[in-house]
Amino acid sequence: MAEPRTSTPAPELVEGSGTHEPPGPEASTGSATGATGSAPRLRVDATADRVVATLDRPDVRNAIDQAMVDELHALCAELEADPRTLIVTGAGGIFAAGADIAQLRERTGDDARRGINATVFDRIRHLPMPVIAAVDGFALGGGAELAYAADIRLGTPRVRFGNPEPGLGIIAAAGASWRLPEIVGHARASELLLTARVIDADEALSWGLLSSVHEPDDLLSAAHAVADRIAANSVRATILTKRALLAPRADHPAIDGELQAELFDSADKRARMTAFLERKKK
């Protein structure tokens, strides 16, 4: 029988930052000044087939505040208009140690009903092309829920996932209650959300929360390797595959036939299959 697994204790709260204090290397900002004169919360690097968005608030452990939410919405608008694979990561050896508690403390019931974080995470989840979360260090609270919104999650040995919201008198209301059961199953999700414990990379990998684990220096390269595999495929077929994956069970199998019908009649399908058959002749 396997030895019982011990959970990682929850890190201490940092007063005023709204995040948790993780161990690890010191972070550097590396952010340029935004158009409004304030430092942007996201560092965005774009190419023809992918975008890397780095959460860049290392002084508060990449806490997700309203300004970051606004920048994520702006990025989503770009990727909805020009679909590309999105890689989301964090600066300074940490993904995101939570939402900004200083802001959360002042939010009201009306703010909760607006679903400030839930709305942007759902928008990320439904981007046309795949979203890859490259997670290093702590992904807690809203940071964990952002990672749950991705299609694929890669991590490092120092990853820590958790939803400590009940300890702060709230619930994980930005996707954890329905996305986490879809990823790891209802029983495991219930354990994490009801106990607020923090799990490490090994447990996250064994549960399927992470697809693979890489050393910190190799994490972004591994995410790009996944993006390379996506880029080698038909863009339209990838978009429609993601659409099928996100469709409710009741829509299947009808939706699969409709999506396939579009692809069967496409020039791209004929060209790719013709190239495949010609390669086989050689």
Side-chain angles (χ1 to χ4, degrees):
M1 182 179 295
E3 291 296 320
R5 189 182 296 276
T6 57
S7 61
T8 304
E12 295 297 320
L13 287 174
V14 181
E15 184 177 358
S17 73
T19 65
H20 298 73
E21 180 73 44
E26 292 299 317
S28 59
T29 57
S31 294
T33 300
T36 61
S38 61
R41 269 51 172 169
L42 294 180
R43 188 168 69 245
V44 178
D45 299 296
T47 63
D49 62 14
R50 72 198 62 175
V51 171
V52 179
T54 304
L55 312 183
D56 198 10
R57 300 186 72 204
D59 55 323
V60 290
R61 310 311 192 261
N62 301 330
I64 300 170
D65 66 351
Q66 182 66 59
M68 186 180 287
V69 167
D70 293 342
E71 291 182 28
L72 286 169
H73 274 299
L75 177 59
C76 286
E78 293 181 20
L79 293 174
E80 288 159 356
D82 181 12
R84 285 162 287 171
T85 295
L86 173 62
I87 299 172
V88 181
T89 192
I94 189 167
F95 188 70
D100 194 310
I101 295 172
Q103 289 188 2
L104 284 179
R105 185 182 59 184
E106 304 306 317
R107 287 181 183 168
T108 66
D110 287 339
D111 292 320
R113 293 182 184 95
R114 287 169 53 210
I116 295 170
N117 287 1
T119 299
V120 73
F121 295 166
D122 203 51
R123 193 172 182 183
I124 289 168
R125 177 63 171 154
H126 288 89
L127 285 172
M129 288 289 283
V131 178
I132 302 165
V135 184
D136 191 12
F138 282 95
L140 302 176
E145 291 179 298
L146 172 56
Y148 302 157
D151 299 289
I152 300 167
R153 285 162 296 280
L154 313 180
T156 72
R158 57 192 185 190
V159 157
R160 300 292 184 270
F161 280 105
N163 287 96
E165 286 89 345
L168 296 169
I170 59 175
I171 70 169
S177 65
W178 73 91
R179 289 201 184 96
L180 193 55
E182 290 175 351
I183 299 167
V184 303
H186 191 274
R188 285 170 167 167
S190 296
E191 180 190 350
L192 285 190
L193 297 180
L194 294 174
T195 67
R197 77 179 181 94
V198 176
I199 63 171
D200 62 16
D202 288 341
E203 195 162 8
L205 182 64
S206 70
W207 284 13
L209 185 53
L210 291 176
S211 296
S212 57
V213 174
H214 310 269
E215 290 303 315
D217 288 345
D218 299 327
L219 178 62
L220 204 53
S221 294
H224 278 293
V226 174
D228 288 342
R229 292 184 64 88
I230 292 169
N233 298 325
S234 160
V235 170
R236 190 61 183 164
T238 300
I239 289 172
L240 296 188
T241 298
K242 179 169 177 175
R243 190 175 300 173
L245 283 166
L246 293 177
R249 177 63 183 87
D251 290 354
H252 297 279
I255 190 173
D256 304 84
E258 287 302 318
L259 299 176
Q260 190 77 297
E262 176 186 329
L263 296 171
F264 269 19
D265 290 337
S266 70
D268 183 56
K269 167 252 192 178
R270 177 166 291 277
R272 285 174 176 270
M273 290 189 176
T274 299
F276 173 83
L277 293 172
E278 289 177 349
R279 285 195 301 270
K280 284 192 68 177
K281 291 177 182 178
K282 294 179 181 179

